[in-house]
Amino acid sequence: MADPALPNDERETSSTTTLRADDAPATAPIPSASGAKRGFQLNLHDALSPDQTNEDMYDVTDNKFAFSPGQLAKLLNPKSLDAFYALGGLAGLERGLRTDRKAGLSTDETTLEGTVAFEDVAPKGTPKYGSRGDVVPTAKAAEQPALQHPGGQFADRKRIFRDNRLPEKKAKSLLELAWITYNDKVLILLTVAAVVSLALGLYQTLGVEHEPGAAKVEWVEGVAIMVAIFIVVAVGTLNDWQMQRQFNSLNKRAGDRTVKVIRSGKSVEVSVFDIMVGDVMHLFAGDLVPVDGIFINGHGVKCDESSATGESDLLKKVPADEVFAVLDSVAKGGTPPGDIEKLDPFIISGSKVNEGTGTFLVTAVGVNSSYGRIMMSMHTDQEDTPLQKKLNVLADGIAKFGGGSALLLFVILLIKFLAQLPNNHDSPDKKGQDFLRIFITSVTVVVVAVPEGLPLAVTLALAFATTRMMKDNNLVRVLKACETMGNATTVCSDKTGTLTQNKMTVVATTLGKSLSFGGTDPPLEEDPEKAANPVEIDIPNVPVGEFVKGLSNTTKQLLIQSNAVNSTAFEGDVEGEKTFIGSKTEVALLTLCRDHLGAGPVQEERANANVVQVIPFDSAVKYMATVVKLPNGKFRAYAKGASEILLSKCTTVIADPAAEELVTTEITEEDRAVFSQTITSYAGQTLRTIGSSYRDFDVWPPPELAGHDEVTAAVFDKVHSDMTLVAIYGIKDPLRPSVIDAIKDCRRAGVTVRMVTGDNILTGRAIARECGIYKPEEGGIAMEGPVFRRKSEEELKELVPKLQVLARSSPEDKRILVRTLKELGETVAVTGDGTNDAPALKMADIGFAMGIAGTEVAKEAASIILMDDNFASIVKGISWGRAVNDSVKKFLQFQLTVNVTAVALTFISSVASDEEESVLNAVQLLWVNLIMDTFAALALATDPPGPSILDRLPDKKSASLITVRMGKMIIGQAIVQLVITLVLNFAGASLLGWYDLSSEHDATRLKTLIFNTFVWLQIFNEINNRRLDNKLNFLEGITRNYFFIGINLIMIGGQVLIIFVGGEAFRITRLNGVEWALSIGLGAISLPAGAVIRKFPDAWAAALVPHVKLNFWPFNRKSKKKAKKDEADRLEKGVSDEQRKGGAPSDTDSFEAPQPLRTLTSIRGKRASMHIRRGFREYMHDQKVKVKEKGRALGSGSKVNVAEPGVGGKLPETAGV
């Protein structure tokens, strides 16, 4: 083939065939072909050169064959006529692979005797390893053992070329999955907390004296945290293992089938896994080719390679010997034919045989085939999900928050302890115990701050969602897709099979000019010119039953014969059901004949007709024809194809379909306009139009075709005139019943649906309007692929947001669309079924492969597999994705409220206590912070998605995990809970008048009341947290979640049990009825408080946020690198720190340094407010900038007001002299 890197003039002058004969280079000049093919050349010098990626395929020890897998791989990497010629054509492959093109492999073959040399089969002088000459490429040592196979049938063949199995992607063991699950920042933080807690707990239990009868339970908290970690890891591991197993079983079911090969001269069926290199394999229409090979011979074989190569046209296969003869002629100096690039003997794995039958010689199987190489390239490891990344940031923030709080508490308590030492006359051992108690209290703050239930909530939400999504026909392969799907902003969907049923049906027919049925819907899109000058269709339209009754037997037979004979479809069994197999259009027409016209079996109809000539369909002229001999001795040619082309060839039309004798009448100009309008009307209703016509001849072939051995469609065109129009059929692939509602749901959810189809723009646009995708009145655009791909990057970015239909698109167009959408910040979901869709599926944020129609490569590249190929399942996926995100946010809102309240309560009560003890002791905090949180994770993570989940826009990728609404609820509820518990702690005795704090029993009862109230506050707040939005109905859908009801009953039962029998372990006592009522009543305040907080405007809450920015708050912080970049940008713009602080607008406001605390400024005065900055270097830099600004201002003679420099300074005021 011509080297595209050479200029045209250089190609022409270098048209030579390079060969080596007797180790001396010899070149034979080749005359250039005319026209576009003038630069064709056979380049044998580079034909078999190894690539860096497949050198190991060349180095084979003890090779009994003439070729290595690497040399054979060059045939299809890409298709190479050079490599085909260099390997000696079919004859060379036959000898070199030690097989027989007629008899195939011997069933008795095991190990082979002797060897076949490359030089014996290749054209003389061909370099064995291309540009490397005869130097064997060195393989990596690690690759060698993989080629070793045990003995048995085809032992040597398997050893050298392998079998047709792809090595299963090594499934991760349970231990590996457990380790991956455990490597999570939150779990590691929990582990540290557990170890510290357990160590201190064991010391307290074993090394400290206890009061008589006191329970030694200090070690329980550490053990309980470890149990929580174990549960999280176990649930996550089992969930991953289950998904891995489901996908592997799906692949195994899809992969195994039988094929026909010739062995020892007989056709036998073998498993697709047992095909060997050297096998001679049969090709039949409808076959999916499992291996690579070279076409031997056959009849009219055409392959659809669109799923393998992206080539949309059917490719006709040329017998290998014919191709080799042409190449040999070129090698000897002959002129290459103009269509030499159409010589295609290559059978490529992953392609589909659309027409014909034949045989081919297998040259590559398994990992060495082109299909296998694509499959192997799809093996990639899973990344952290977006949610996990955000939670890791949260874990860092919580660690800093907890650590900072604990350190501050330790410092305060230590100062208090040291201040009391002069008056403390206890023994040194007792003082040591007091100091250790201070340390334990501080560590408790860290343990309380860590959200133990958070990883469990995430794991449970994902496990629950993936299991339920499987029931909704979504098999989740990549875990992050489950949550990412919830925030998808656009879906690029295929048309056929996803939006439509992929079952073509005849829904309208116009027979002659006197009868029709169906096709009366108004066009979804009208041509303005034709709408202004409409042609009235006056052909009577009746229901299909009346239509059939209005046909005579002669007309029915004409319709049946024109469809049954003039068709390549046939009857067969599909999944036990009798149906037609073949082109969907032909299947639709045959189904009409069978169901409505009383046609017999199609084979019987064809046998009854005396067929004398078949003219196959040709995409160039868009029709096919069949000639039959009539009983009266004449010949009738039936034509079927594109209706507008057939109409242009017709001069007559059937006059009366009810007449027993076939009568025709002339087509007038008015008639032609009516038929043209009918075709346009059908197309406007998204119908595919097919025309049917016939013409009678006295003899066949007629005189005009004399001298033609083979009558093709191009030859038949000479007599394709004066035809009689039989019918115009309107065929439709109906929309799936659920699609229109599903797309309405997407629009409601803020998800833009785009149709990407290979169909023409008129049909694509009309179907898109029918299902609600295409809205030109809203500025929507429909465009064809060839136009789309020629646009520049800037034009694409301007165009794509408005693009709603992309017709006549190639897989590359789909990839460009996905890339552009991602660059525009969209979260993109894409559907695909072909091997060539893999790049777009891989590039998208969420790739949906079709479970029924999808190839294995598409499934491997996808994140989620649609088991029913239905668009409505994608909407269910969006709902579940949002449910996962919502579940985690609900739990996070609940958990952080508990943690903030518990940390603040522990801190305040410990500092205020004489014994430096918290109002809630360690065991009580264990129940609140661990057991309840774990139960809450179970309850909140299992809320299924409700209908209202699609009533909001998707979150952006950069959106914070904590929203303004969540923040106001966390802070609001924490304030309510702190007020209630602190009032009870410090003023409960005096307000209630029931307790005498000098009595140890009463003091314990008050602490029990506080503990019970605190727990009930959490239970009611959990119910309140079922909603994340500002709507008040927090009970919506609660009856559908039995988990939630059951878990809350367990929590309430557990709390009642603790109060009644907890006794010494929890250091509490039983409460009476009034105290229980007070606890529950105070706890229930969470619900009205939640309603008040929801009614507090979000805008007001957001306005408060900038004034309470804290450095340890992790959600709005920028990385150091980003902060430095922003600082540099700010300095470039000349915006000083004083300007920014003084109120000048700036892009870097979100990184504003915190205002100094008022306490510090009061103690240290104005200097503190001026000099408390992000760091000394930044301060010195700002001072230099300020001095330079003063210098510039003074130099220009301006007056500068520097009365109030620093953080609170005013903007410099300048005035001209």
Side-chain angles (χ1 to χ4, degrees):
M1 305 295 283
D3 186 347
L6 291 173
N8 287 336
D9 54 344
E10 283 183 43
R11 287 187 206 163
E12 290 170 21
T13 57
S14 64
S15 297
T16 57
T17 303
T18 307
L19 297 169
R20 292 186 184 180
D22 301 323
D23 295 328
T27 59
I30 302 174
S32 297
S34 61
K37 307 297 174 206
R38 290 177 66 193
F40 176 80
Q41 61 176 342
L42 269 173
N43 181 12
L44 300 190
H45 178 68
D46 199 38
L48 302 178
S49 300
D51 302 323
Q52 287 185 352
T53 55
N54 67 356
E55 287 181 344
D56 57 292
M57 293 168 66
Y58 283 77
D59 188 10
V60 182
T61 53
D62 189 24
N63 192 353
K64 303 289 182 72
F65 304 92
F67 311 119
S68 64
Q71 290 164 320
L72 294 171
K74 294 297 288 185
L75 288 167
L76 286 161
N77 193 22
K79 294 177 183 177
S80 171
L81 291 173
D82 297 340
F84 174 65
Y85 186 78
L87 296 174
L90 182 61
L93 288 165
E94 185 181 6
R95 287 181 61 202
L97 296 176
R98 305 179 73 165
T99 184
D100 185 289
R101 70 178 76 183
K102 290 189 173 67
L105 296 177
S106 168
T107 51
D108 299 325
E109 180 188 318
T110 52
T111 55
L112 295 165
E113 297 297 326
T115 59
V116 179
F118 175 83
E119 293 74 17
D120 294 341
V121 297
K124 192 174 181 183
T126 304
K128 189 172 183 179
Y129 301 111
S131 58
R132 305 240 185 138
D134 293 331
V135 179
V136 181
T138 52
K140 297 173 186 173
E143 303 285 350
Q144 291 286 348
L147 294 172
Q148 301 301 323
H149 281 80
Q153 192 181 31
F154 305 121
D156 278 331
R157 210 169 284 275
K158 283 182 184 177
R159 179 175 62 83
I160 304 300
F161 301 114
R162 307 195 186 202
D163 55 15
N164 195 35
R165 282 179 173 82
L166 293 177
E168 287 184 15
K169 187 177 177 183
K170 187 171 179 266
K172 289 184 170 67
S173 66
L174 278 171
L175 281 175
E176 286 175 307
L177 290 170
W179 177 248
I180 291 166
T181 307
Y182 177 73
N183 276 291
D184 177 275
K185 278 192 177 180
V186 181
L187 289 179
I188 291 166
L189 184 63
L190 272 177
T191 306
V192 173
V195 170
V196 173
S197 180
L198 184 62
L200 291 173
L202 287 172
Y203 172 76
Q204 284 182 286
T205 303
L206 304 173
V208 178
E209 288 185 16
H210 289 70
E211 294 177 14
K216 297 183 178 183
V217 291
E218 291 85 358
W219 56 271
V220 171
E221 186 161 4
V223 171
I225 297 174
M226 288 180 174
V227 169
I229 294 168
F230 176 78
I231 291 168
V232 171
V233 172
V235 171
T237 302
L238 291 172
N239 189 40
D240 287 345
W241 181 72
Q242 184 185 13
M243 285 196 309
Q244 181 177 271
R245 199 180 55 163
Q246 280 175 342
F247 183 66
N248 288 343
S249 65
L250 176 77
N251 273 356
K252 281 175 185 168
R253 284 202 306 273
D256 198 10
R257 55 194 170 94
T258 57
V259 293
K260 275 193 174 180
V261 298
I262 299 173
R263 288 191 179 165
S264 297
K266 296 178 182 175
S267 289
V268 293
E269 281 195 347
V270 298
S271 166
V272 72
F273 299 130
D274 294 333
I275 304 170
M276 295 286 123
V277 169
D279 260 324
V280 175
M281 187 172 158
H282 285 286
L283 290 171
F284 300 101
D287 279 358
L288 187 68
V289 181
V291 290
D292 294 337
I294 296 295
F295 184 55
I296 298 172
N297 55 38
H299 175 70
V301 174
K302 288 187 179 178
C303 291
D304 175 5
E305 295 178 358
S306 59
S307 70
T309 65
E311 175 64 59
S312 56
D313 288 338
L314 293 183
L315 298 177
K316 185 180 179 183
K317 299 301 168 182
V318 182
D321 284 341
E322 290 181 26
V323 178
F324 187 78
V326 173
L327 296 176
D328 198 40
S329 168
V330 171
K332 291 173 181 175
T335 303
D339 61 348
I340 192 165
E341 288 185 356
K342 289 189 178 178
L343 296 179
D344 185 357
F346 304 105
I347 305 294
I348 187 167
S349 51
S351 62
K352 187 176 181 181
V353 182
N354 267 45
E355 299 174 19
T357 59
T359 56
F360 75 100
L361 178 67
V362 178
T363 59
V365 297
V367 292
N368 297 328
S369 68
S370 51
Y371 175 83
R373 286 197 294 272
I374 295 173
M375 282 293 280
M376 295 303 288
S377 72
M378 290 295 161
H379 289 183
T380 54
D381 291 324
Q382 221 168 276
E383 300 173 354
D384 269 359
T385 72
L387 192 58
Q388 283 169 335
K389 288 175 183 173
K390 287 180 182 178
L391 289 173
N392 286 340
V393 174
L394 178 65
D396 291 343
I398 287 171
K400 290 173 187 174
F401 172 70
S405 302
L407 183 63
L408 183 61
L409 178 62
F410 180 72
V411 169
I412 292 171
L413 293 181
L414 182 62
I415 291 169
K416 185 179 172 186
F417 173 73
L418 293 173
Q420 292 173 347
L421 268 182
N423 301 320
N424 188 341
H425 304 295
D426 291 335
S427 65
D429 183 53
K430 184 72 171 66
K431 288 175 184 175
Q433 293 289 344
D434 291 342
F435 175 77
L436 190 61
R437 189 170 63 244
I438 290 171
F439 181 67
I440 289 166
T441 304
S442 303
V443 170
T444 303
V445 170
V446 179
V447 176
V448 168
V450 175
E452 293 90 346
L454 185 56
L456 183 63
V458 177
T459 306
L460 286 172
L462 287 170
F464 184 70
T466 50
T467 307
R468 294 294 292 270
M469 282 173 79
M470 188 64 192
K471 292 178 182 174
D472 284 338
N473 296 305
N474 286 282
L475 170 58
V476 179
R477 287 202 55 241
V478 180
L479 204 56
K480 75 171 183 179
C482 186
E483 63 193 52
T484 310
M485 193 60 218
N487 295 323
T489 56
T490 184
V491 179
C492 300
S493 174
D494 288 340
K495 174 179 72 71
T496 307
T498 308
L499 296 170
T500 63
Q501 297 177 25
N502 202 16
K503 292 177 182 174
M504 299 300 279
T505 310
V506 178
V507 295
T509 299
T510 297
L511 183 61
K513 57 180 184 179
S514 56
L515 196 60
S516 67
F517 77 85
T520 55
D521 296 334
L524 289 169
E525 188 169 325
E526 293 202 27
D527 186 333
E529 290 180 16
K530 291 185 179 176
N533 303 296
V535 175
E536 189 178 345
I537 300 174
D538 54 3
I539 300 171
N541 192 279
V542 297
V544 65
E546 288 184 36
F547 175 87
V548 173
K549 287 178 185 174
L551 302 179
S552 65
N553 288 330
T554 306
T555 308
K556 283 183 184 176
Q557 194 55 40
L558 177 73
L559 290 172
I560 291 168
Q561 197 171 64
S562 66
N563 285 318
V565 173
N566 196 20
S567 170
T568 57
F570 56 92
E571 279 181 300
D573 286 329
V574 176
E575 296 178 359
E577 188 181 338
K578 201 85 170 169
T579 185
F580 295 108
I581 299 168
S583 156
K584 292 183 174 62
T585 303
E586 292 184 341
V587 167
L589 292 168
L590 291 174
T591 305
L592 173 75
C593 294
R594 183 190 65 190
D595 295 350
H596 296 291
L597 303 178
V602 69
Q603 285 86 346
E604 190 179 305
E605 295 289 347
R606 287 171 185 165
N608 292 338
N610 185 0
V611 178
V612 296
Q613 183 88 54
V614 175
I615 297 102
F617 179 83
D618 187 335
S619 58
V621 293
K622 295 189 176 177
Y623 65 80
M624 67 182 294
T626 303
V627 182
V628 298
K629 189 173 183 179
L630 300 175
N632 61 10
K634 288 190 174 186
F635 296 86
R636 178 170 289 168
Y638 291 109
K640 179 183 72 183
S643 48
E644 62 275 13
I645 291 174
L646 262 63
L647 177 61
S648 69
K649 304 288 185 181
C650 292
T651 55
T652 58
V653 63
I654 294 175
D656 183 9
E660 285 298 333
E661 188 177 343
L662 208 55
V663 181
T664 63
T665 183
E666 291 290 323
I667 295 179
T668 64
E669 285 304 312
E670 290 78 8
D671 293 338
R672 198 173 294 279
V674 168
F675 291 135
S676 294
Q677 179 64 26
T678 301
I679 293 168
T680 306
S681 171
Y682 283 1
Q685 297 168 58
T686 74
L687 308 185
R688 181 179 293 175
T689 61
I690 299 293
S692 176
S693 63
Y694 75 92
R695 178 182 167 185
D696 290 342
F697 293 88
D698 293 326
V699 293
W700 189 266
E704 296 95 324
L705 303 185
H708 290 281
D709 296 332
E710 185 183 357
V711 179
T712 62
V715 173
F716 181 78
D717 225 31
K718 293 178 181 178
V719 295
H720 191 202
S721 58
D722 298 326
M723 305 288 286
T724 299
L725 182 67
V726 176
I728 297 169
Y729 300 102
I731 300 174
K732 184 176 185 177
D733 182 3
L735 286 179
R736 288 180 178 270
S738 54
V739 157
I740 294 174
D741 287 338
I743 287 169
K744 281 180 185 172
D745 287 340
C746 283
R747 289 178 73 86
R748 184 161 56 92
V751 180
T752 305
V753 182
R754 293 175 168 86
M755 180 198 283
V756 183
T757 176
D759 221 327
N760 67 66
I761 193 162
L762 187 65
T763 305
R765 207 160 46 189
I767 289 177
R769 283 204 86 157
E770 186 182 355
C771 59
I773 292 174
Y774 183 47
K775 303 271 185 181
E777 64 277 8
E778 295 175 6
I781 295 174
M783 184 175 282
E784 289 193 324
V787 179
F788 176 78
R789 72 182 76 115
R790 286 197 297 269
K791 299 287 182 185
S792 66
E793 292 285 330
E794 292 73 22
E795 288 174 317
L796 283 173
K797 286 183 179 175
E798 190 178 333
L799 169 84
V800 161
K802 295 177 279 187
L803 184 71
Q804 292 174 341
V805 179
L806 185 60
R808 292 282 185 217
S809 68
S810 69
E812 180 60 17
D813 297 330
K814 187 185 278 190
R815 198 186 66 79
I816 291 168
L817 177 61
V818 172
R819 188 197 68 212
T820 308
L821 284 166
K822 287 188 76 174
E823 286 172 358
L824 290 169
E826 303 272 3
T827 302
V828 188
V830 171
T831 68
D833 53 12
T835 301
N836 56 340
D837 285 327
L841 289 168
K842 205 77 177 166
M843 180 180 279
D845 295 290
I846 313 103
F848 281 93
M850 301 299 125
I852 300 168
T855 64
E856 278 80 0
V857 175
K859 291 174 188 173
E860 187 71 32
S863 321
I864 298 176
I865 295 170
L866 291 179
M867 304 302 286
D868 60 351
D869 292 10
N870 191 345
F871 184 85
S873 298
I874 296 176
V875 180
K876 290 175 185 172
I878 293 173
S879 296
W880 276 109
R882 292 189 176 187
V884 168
N885 284 307
D886 283 3
S887 294
V888 174
K889 285 183 174 181
K890 286 173 190 175
F891 178 74
L892 197 56
Q893 186 171 291
F894 171 77
Q895 173 88 67
L896 290 180
T897 306
V898 176
N899 288 24
V900 168
T901 311
V903 168
L905 196 60
T906 303
F907 192 102
I908 295 166
S909 59
S910 299
V911 172
S913 164
D914 292 335
E915 291 83 23
E916 287 85 29
E917 282 187 351
S918 167
V919 65
L920 300 177
N921 63 48
V923 182
Q924 290 170 357
L925 281 172
L926 169 67
W927 168 245
V928 170
N929 199 45
L930 178 65
I931 310 300
M932 282 191 61
D933 288 357
T934 306
F935 281 134
L938 278 165
L940 293 170
T942 52
D943 253 349
S948 62
I949 206 163
L950 295 174
D951 288 341
R952 65 172 196 259
L953 297 177
D955 293 334
K956 291 181 180 177
K957 289 180 184 177
S958 57
S960 169
L961 197 58
I962 310 288
T963 63
V964 172
R965 284 177 186 172
M966 289 172 66
K968 74 175 184 181
M969 184 60 73
I970 291 166
I971 294 166
Q973 287 285 1
I975 291 169
V976 169
Q977 293 183 12
L978 277 172
V979 167
I980 291 171
T981 47
L982 289 175
V983 166
L984 281 177
N985 185 43
F986 293 112
S990 56
L991 286 173
L992 297 173
W994 301 338
Y995 306 109
D996 178 9
L997 293 183
S998 59
S999 162
E1000 189 177 334
H1001 177 70
D1002 279 6
T1004 305
R1005 277 181 64 202
L1006 179 60
K1007 283 191 174 183
T1008 306
L1009 177 70
I1010 294 167
F1011 168 59
N1012 199 28
T1013 303
F1014 187 78
V1015 170
W1016 279 100
L1017 279 165
Q1018 309 319 319
I1019 291 172
F1020 283 109
N1021 189 37
E1022 184 211 359
I1023 297 168
N1024 172 64
N1025 281 323
R1026 289 191 70 249
R1027 281 209 94 101
L1028 287 170
D1029 55 24
N1030 285 335
K1031 293 178 183 175
L1032 298 179
N1033 183 12
F1034 49 78
L1035 295 177
E1036 182 185 338
I1038 197 169
T1039 53
R1040 290 186 290 118
N1041 191 352
Y1042 298 115
F1043 276 107
F1044 188 88
I1045 297 168
I1047 289 164
N1048 274 280
L1049 290 174
I1050 291 170
M1051 284 163 63
I1052 291 167
Q1055 179 63 16
V1056 171
L1057 203 63
I1058 285 168
I1059 297 297
F1060 278 95
V1061 298
E1064 287 300 326
F1066 282 81
R1067 283 188 276 173
I1068 54 175
T1069 188
R1070 292 188 180 189
L1071 299 176
N1072 59 35
V1074 176
E1075 289 167 327
W1076 268 104
L1078 181 64
S1079 299
I1080 296 170
L1082 289 171
I1085 291 174
S1086 277
L1087 299 178
V1092 171
I1093 294 165
R1094 284 189 172 92
K1095 288 299 176 187
F1096 186 82
D1098 291 348
W1100 293 8
L1104 292 172
V1105 170
H1107 303 293
V1108 291
K1109 277 186 181 174
L1110 299 175
N1111 253 357
F1112 58 76
W1113 196 246
F1115 311 109
N1116 296 316
R1117 293 185 63 194
K1118 298 183 181 180
S1119 66
K1120 290 181 181 178
K1121 192 181 288 183
K1122 177 83 169 97
K1124 283 181 181 176
K1125 183 178 180 299
D1126 286 352
E1127 183 69 11
D1129 292 344
R1130 181 177 67 78
L1131 291 171
E1132 269 184 38
K1133 293 173 186 174
V1135 181
S1136 72
D1137 197 55
E1138 283 71 22
Q1139 286 175 316
R1140 190 158 52 86
K1141 292 291 194 297
S1146 168
D1147 293 330
T1148 56
D1149 277 347
S1150 60
F1151 191 66
E1152 188 171 349
Q1155 294 286 341
L1157 298 173
R1158 290 189 61 172
T1159 313
L1160 287 172
T1161 55
S1162 302
I1163 296 168
R1164 294 167 57 195
K1166 196 173 180 73
R1167 248 180 97 250
S1169 69
M1170 287 170 59
H1171 297 164
I1172 294 175
R1173 300 175 175 275
R1174 287 154 292 147
F1176 180 73
R1177 286 182 63 188
E1178 288 85 349
Y1179 169 65
M1180 292 304 295
H1181 182 274
D1182 289 345
Q1183 294 305 308
K1184 286 178 185 177
V1185 170
K1186 193 162 65 176
V1187 168
K1188 285 178 183 177
E1189 284 176 355
K1190 283 183 187 177
R1192 280 198 297 271
L1194 291 169
S1196 62
S1198 61
K1199 296 178 182 177
V1200 183
N1201 181 354
V1202 289
E1204 293 184 30
V1207 175
K1210 296 178 182 177
L1211 291 172
E1213 296 174 3
T1214 59
V1217 177

